[in-house]
Amino acid sequence: MEEYIVSARKYRPTTFDSVVGQTALTTTLKHAVMSGKLAHAYLFCGPRGVGKTTCARIFAKTINCLHPTAEGEACNTCESCKAFNEQRSYNILELDAASNNSVENIKSLMEQTRIAPQVGRYKVFIIDEVHMLSTAAFNAFLKTLEEPPAHVIFILATTEKHKIMPTILSRCQLYDFERMSVASIIGHLKKVAEQEGIKVEEQALHVIAEKADGGMRDALSIFDQVASFSQGDITYQKVLEDLNILDIDYYFQMVDKAFANEVKELLLLFNAILSRGFDAAKTMNGMASHIRNVLMAKDPATLPLIEASEEQRARYQEQAARCTTPFLYKALRILNQCDVNYRASSNKRLAVEIALIQVAQITQPDDEAGAGRSPKRLKSLFQKKVAVRKEAAPQVAAVEHASLPEEKAKQEKVQATATPSKPIHRINFNQIGDTFDSLLHGQRETHDTAGIAENDGLSAEQPTEQTVHVFTEDGLRTEWLAMCQRMQTNKQFMALSMRMQNLLPTITDYPHVSLVIDNELLYSQLLPIKKRIETTLRKKLLNTELDLTMRVASPEEIKRIPTRREILQQLQQDNEAFARLCQTLQLQLE
């Protein structure tokens, strides 16, 4: 029986031209070989399975080729190329830093750099997963990496560039490998299937390419798995069955039912998906990706952004013609919020079902009683209930009055004809125009806001009567906050009023009031309405002699917010026990 070799090894590229998806990078390396301008250290970084180690091997073989071609490729006929192809070359050494990450391993490697190459011009050291080296090993490697012998070239490969010391990065030429595109993976898989004599559907290759997530090695591994399952005939349904992937038809049905407000049918379809063993979170992510593709299909210019077959793109365009753009926008927002809250939810299925119900109610009219009502519908019903109660209140009062005994009625008549007593003082809550009586009867007082513009909460006219009522600083600040709250009813002053609440006026020389403003921008915004603010405070505080002055705060008056490190240092200075605890446990801020 012939030994089986997986496709990832069997079809590994041996030349720069056979590398898939890294054209710009391989062209740069070929030009470097052709011109003879070679650096002493290279760093290949990128995600897994995109050809970092493969390109390092091809580059190392090409560097030592005795007769390179005019295109910068290795000849594969000289002694150096044959030795490399037969894995007996002593000029190209590979080190797996994941298992050889100690200082001793690096020192042993440095000893080998002293030996000149036997065949060829250079001795090439390929260090894979270089980010796994310890800090001590990196430091031992620094000097040799900076000034290696003339016959030595280092090629480092890593998937996590951020873990490598900056001193190492500064001594290397960096080459960033990109993820493979779906089209590149499909094209390579077609060639492999043709050479292996395997029948395959293009739609099935799309599923494999998307599952690989930009890695060619992952794509070839999945291809071998599916080929073994399907016995040489790879179809779309067999790929879905083998990889346990939800069919795209479910997403088309879910979007159609949501757009038609079929809440019950949508929830039943979601239950059928869960009963087949699919994860709820992955289902929602898949639905969000599907809606994104439908949105891209709305415009022919964005249609190429959909990574799918031509048949699927046509289906996306059909559904995009049926769905409205606002529906797709709102659905994406709801699904994205569901994905954010999914992990924190204790009842994950309920969280997903609520999101599906919200998506299905986007296009539902407010006056339609469906499986669930939108917030506007609930609000209108609530208002109707309140109105009914208000209408019923006078009727109940009339009935109660009619049922009083005659003696009580006579007593009320005598009290009505008597001299009216002193009126009860009406308490104004929060200085915003709501009295106790108005809160009791559910009505809004209007007489307290006389002279105040309804649109912004500021008075435009000066008081006609001269009043000199004494006011305190607490009363001044209370009226100031009340004025800011009234200004929030106007969208034009909403943001300004929020910033005004952080300012507190003070009495400098009664009745002169001073307002210190943090910055020039806020000062320029308050200056045009200064007169109206002053008029409003005069009316509310019943003092026409009140005078308001505004100025920008000096740098000494602005209190800087301390950082976390400054707060920690202050705590350590104030509390010796806490300082000793931090020192003992070696606590530090990250």
Side-chain angles (χ1 to χ4, degrees), residues 61-130:
K61 181 178 71 171
T62 309
I63 287 173
N64 280 321
C65 180
L66 301 178
H67 308 291
T69 63
E71 292 79 15
E73 296 279 6
C75 65
N76 288 321
T77 57
C78 66
E79 178 59 26
S80 177
C81 292
K82 289 181 179 179
F84 177 82
N85 294 336
E86 296 171 5
Q87 299 181 358
R88 56 180 177 84
S89 175
Y90 289 99
N91 296 338
I92 301 173
L93 303 177
E94 290 191 34
L95 176 69
D96 180 19
S99 55
N100 302 280
N101 55 5
S102 63
V103 178
E104 289 73 16
N105 298 128
I106 293 298
K107 288 182 178 180
S108 176
L109 184 67
M110 297 303 100
E111 291 293 334
Q112 298 183 43
T113 59
R114 300 178 181 179
I115 304 174
Q118 298 176 352
V119 180
R121 300 171 53 191
Y122 299 98
K123 199 160 190 177
V124 185
F125 293 88
I126 301 175
I127 305 179
D128 203 3
E129 302 299 334
V130 69

Side-chain angles (χ1 to χ4, degrees), residues 15 61 97 102-103 161 195 205 239 256 285 370 376 388 465 496:
T15 62
K61 181 178 71 171
S102 63
V103 178
K161 183 175 65 173
Q195 294 184 22
L205 294 181
V239 171
D256 286 338
N285 289 336
K376 291 183 179 180
V388 170
E465 299 180 359
L496 180 60

Side-chain angles (χ1 to χ4, degrees), residues 178-460:
E178 301 177 354
R179 291 184 180 274
M180 304 287 183
S181 64
V182 173
S184 300
I185 296 177
I186 292 175
H188 188 66
L189 292 180
K190 284 182 179 179
K191 295 179 182 178
V192 173
E194 184 179 352
Q195 294 184 22
E196 293 292 329
I198 299 176
K199 296 180 180 179
V200 61
E201 295 180 359
E202 184 173 355
Q203 194 171 357
L205 294 181
H206 271 279
V207 177
I208 296 175
E210 292 176 1
K211 184 74 174 178
D213 192 24
M216 184 62 73
R217 183 171 60 237
D218 293 352
L220 291 171
S221 300
I222 297 172
F223 179 82
D224 289 343
Q225 175 185 339
V226 175
S228 177
F229 174 79
S230 60
Q231 294 296 314
D233 186 11
I234 302 177
T235 61
Y236 176 70
Q237 292 298 331
K238 289 181 179 179
V239 171
L240 297 180
E241 183 180 354
D242 184 39
L243 301 181
N244 194 30
I245 297 176
L246 187 62
D247 191 354
I248 195 174
D249 289 338
Y250 282 98
Y251 296 130
F252 280 106
Q253 295 179 37
M254 293 176 72
V255 173
D256 286 338
K257 294 183 184 302
F259 188 72
N261 308 133
E262 298 177 356
V263 179
K264 179 179 66 176
E265 291 78 2
L266 179 60
L267 294 179
L268 291 175
L269 181 59
F270 176 66
N271 181 70
I273 293 173
L274 295 183
S275 63
R276 293 187 56 188
F278 292 101
D279 184 63
K282 292 183 179 179
T283 302
M284 296 301 287
N285 289 336
M287 185 176 179
S289 300
H290 177 85
I291 294 177
R292 176 260 181 193
N293 291 340
V294 176
L295 186 62
M296 295 299 105
K298 277 282 186 181
D299 192 339
T302 56
L303 188 62
L305 299 179
I306 303 176
E307 295 180 342
S309 61
E310 294 298 330
E311 180 183 351
Q312 290 181 348
R313 287 184 180 180
R315 294 187 63 184
Y316 280 124
Q317 285 182 305
E318 293 176 2
Q319 192 168 62
R322 296 193 299 269
C323 298
T324 61
T325 303
F327 166 76
L328 299 175
Y329 282 147
K330 294 179 181 179
L332 281 176
R333 188 182 301 110
I334 293 172
L335 295 178
N336 181 66
Q337 189 63 34
C338 176
D339 181 58
V340 172
N341 300 332
Y342 183 81
R343 291 186 179 181
S345 176
S346 57
N347 192 339
K348 301 184 183 303
R349 175 167 181 171
L350 179 62
V352 174
E353 289 177 341
I354 290 175
L356 292 176
I357 293 174
Q358 291 175 340
V359 172
Q361 289 184 336
I362 293 175
T363 57
Q364 176 179 318
D366 293 341
D367 56 350
E368 178 182 346
R373 292 190 174 95
S374 65
K376 291 183 179 180
R377 178 63 177 168
L378 291 175
K379 184 176 181 181
S380 62
L381 288 176
F382 178 77
Q383 290 176 343
K384 289 180 181 178
K385 293 288 184 181
V386 173
V388 170
R389 290 181 181 179
K390 288 184 178 181
E391 292 174 0
Q395 299 176 3
V396 173
V399 173
E400 291 179 353
H401 187 273
S403 61
L404 290 174
E406 294 181 2
E407 293 79 2
K408 192 172 183 179
K410 292 180 180 179
Q411 185 178 359
E412 290 181 355
K413 186 175 181 181
V414 172
Q415 292 178 354
T417 56
T419 304
S421 60
K422 185 178 181 180
I424 300 176
H425 181 64
R426 303 167 70 85
I427 304 174
N428 192 335
F429 288 92
N430 297 330
Q431 305 292 332
I432 56 176
D434 287 336
T435 63
F436 179 79
D437 187 65
S438 66
L439 292 175
L440 182 65
H441 294 89
Q443 298 175 351
R444 184 76 177 182
E445 290 289 336
T446 57
H447 63 87
D448 286 338
T449 58
I452 300 178
E454 297 181 357
N455 59 341
D456 55 17
L458 296 175
S459 298

Side-chain angles (χ1 to χ4, degrees), residues 44-50 52 157-161 175-178:
F44 293 170
C45 48
R48 69 182 189 279
V50 294
K52 299 184 298 296
T158 179
T159 55
E160 301 182 35
K161 183 175 65 173
Y175 288 83
D176 290 314
F177 284 69
E178 301 177 354

